[in-house]
Amino acid sequence: MNDNEASLQIFDQDKLKPEVRDAALAAACAALSRDGVTAAQAVSAYGVDLLLAEGLEPDDRTDEHFREHGASLKACEAYHAAVGAAEAEIAKRDPANSCFHVLFSVAA
């Protein structure tokens, strides 16, 4: 088990069947690993992305904007890739929850 697998959590993950949750988390961790981003970096960057959304359109956000807040655009993009991977896995394995929206957090 790597650090991403140990720390990444899906908000309301108890609403998913354990095998669906585990598959979704594995898919998300694989996406983060491909991008060389930790779960903590990705979740932090997503928080910065929400902050930047108050004043900047998505296409106007640059890595410099993220670095000003201690994050990176790459980590934010990895977060969104991980969300997509997790949601696709949930939809594939549990069609009744195909509209489940993934929001990640990291365990302390």
Side-chain angles (χ1 to χ4, degrees):
M1 180 179 293
N2 65 37
D3 288 341
N4 284 341
E5 291 170 342
S7 65
L8 194 64
Q9 296 179 346
I10 298 172
F11 181 73
D12 269 351
Q13 65 186 15
D14 57 319
K15 293 182 179 179
L16 299 170
K17 297 174 191 170
E19 63 274 10
V20 173
R21 179 201 61 230
D22 292 346
L25 287 170
C29 289
L32 294 175
S33 293
R34 276 192 301 275
D35 289 331
V37 173
T38 67
Q41 290 169 328
V43 169
S44 176
Y46 180 67
V48 171
D49 191 40
L50 293 175
L51 174 72
L52 294 175
E54 290 295 316
L56 295 171
E57 293 297 319
D59 291 341
D60 295 333
R61 298 175 203 159
T62 65
D63 195 50
E64 184 176 327
H65 290 116
F66 282 87
R67 284 195 313 265
E68 289 174 6
H69 299 282
S72 73
L73 178 59
K74 176 184 176 181
C76 183
E77 291 168 345
Y79 179 93
H80 290 291
V83 166
E87 288 177 349
E89 201 63 35
I90 291 167
K92 180 174 84 174
R93 294 176 180 265
D94 188 3
N97 275 318
S98 63
C99 293
F100 190 92
H101 179 73
V102 170
L103 178 66
F104 292 119
S105 65
V106 288

